[in-house]
Amino acid sequence: NMDTMERIDISDQATIVDPPPFSPDTQPLGVSASSTYSVTSGYEASKAVDGELSTRWNAESLSGGGEYLQINFGEEKTFDSVKVYEDKLEELHRTKDYSIQYWDIAENRWKTVATGTKITDQGATHSFEPVTAQLVRLYIRNITQDSASISEFQIFNGNQQLEVPPTPLVPEKAGYSASSVYEIEAGYEADKAFDGDMTTRWNAAAR
């Protein structure tokens, strides 16, 4: 079989909008990640700063490279070294190109203080001249397969590991919600399953 591809110019029909510029003021407090494995729970970004090598953050399935773990201290902190660990399972030793970066407020950009090509469960330690910043991240540029996976991301000032502030919980919006709602016509919203009326109903989206 042979696939045929044709280039179509839609420049006169579509408007390309640039993504909003990065703003440190909008970044969540504590640890966050570019993506998180969503098939099952237990692989959140917080698992990379819990002090346990038996837990791990995992990026979304098949997300490839270009993923990151980010720590927002909420205020400027001085640090001069980091330690990074992967899981003890060899098949989870996936990182092959990464950088340690901090956000430079004066220059309004990420600056790299260390790079590496291998982590494993033995860990990788990077020391550098002290820097002061509010945001620091592990940027994983390339991996060997599937998705990025990190057991621990630790930041130090001398021999003192810096504490990562907890990420505030975002309260859920009051009311009723559902995974999907029938969209062809109104009247099948989630609240219909809680209105005490047996003649109304919630219905999921049509396929």
Side-chain angles (χ1 to χ4, degrees):
N1 294 336
M2 179 179 295
D3 294 328
T4 301
M5 300 180 66
E6 181 179 357
R7 183 184 297 273
I8 300 175
D9 184 2
I10 62 170
S11 58
D12 61 339
Q13 303 175 39
T15 300
I16 299 175
V17 179
D18 292 330
F22 179 85
S23 172
D25 297 331
T26 62
Q27 301 307 299
L29 183 67
V31 64
S32 59
S34 49
S35 71
T36 300
Y37 186 69
S38 59
V39 179
T40 57
S41 61
Y43 299 96
E44 298 80 15
S46 60
K47 302 300 182 182
V49 295
D50 62 2
E52 298 288 340
L53 291 175
S54 60
T55 63
R56 59 188 173 92
W57 159 69
N58 207 102
E60 184 60 280
S61 180
L62 300 176
S63 54
E67 299 287 322
Y68 63 82
L69 270 173
Q70 176 179 283
I71 294 175
N72 179 0
F73 290 110
E75 60 183 4
E76 290 192 335
K77 296 284 187 178
T78 299
F79 50 93
D80 56 13
S81 66
V82 303
K83 293 181 180 179
V84 191
Y85 296 86
E86 288 179 317
D87 192 83
K88 64 180 180 180
L89 294 176
E90 188 173 351
E91 57 264 33
L92 294 175
H93 299 172
R94 300 171 177 171
T95 307
K96 67 175 185 179
D97 183 9
Y98 66 93
S99 301
I100 307 299
Q101 303 177 327
Y102 71 95
W103 183 258
D104 188 307
I105 295 179
E107 297 187 19
N108 199 39
R109 67 184 180 94
W110 289 103
K111 298 182 76 171
T112 298
V113 292
T115 61
T117 58
K118 186 178 182 180
I119 298 176
T120 80
D121 59 321
Q122 298 302 306
T125 299
H126 297 280
S127 299
F128 40 84
E129 290 298 314
V131 296
T132 300
Q134 180 175 326
L135 300 175
V136 58
R137 72 178 183 176
L138 167 65
Y139 180 69
I140 301 175
R141 187 169 290 100
N142 289 306
I143 58 174
T144 59
Q145 61 174 321
D146 199 283
S147 53
S149 186
I150 297 295
S151 290
E152 279 293 306
F153 180 35
Q154 303 172 344
I155 316 298
F156 291 83
N157 183 20
N159 295 322
Q160 182 67 42
Q161 183 177 349
L162 301 186
E163 182 178 352
V164 178
T167 301
L169 294 176
V170 178
E172 294 186 1
K173 185 179 180 180
Y176 308 105
S177 62
S179 53
S180 67
V181 176
Y182 187 70
E183 73 280 12
I184 298 178
E185 59 179 300
Y188 299 96
E189 297 77 17
D191 63 341
K192 301 301 181 184
F194 300 91
D195 62 3
D197 188 343
M198 296 295 290
T199 64
T200 63
R201 61 188 172 90
W202 160 71
N203 204 102
R207 291 184 178 275

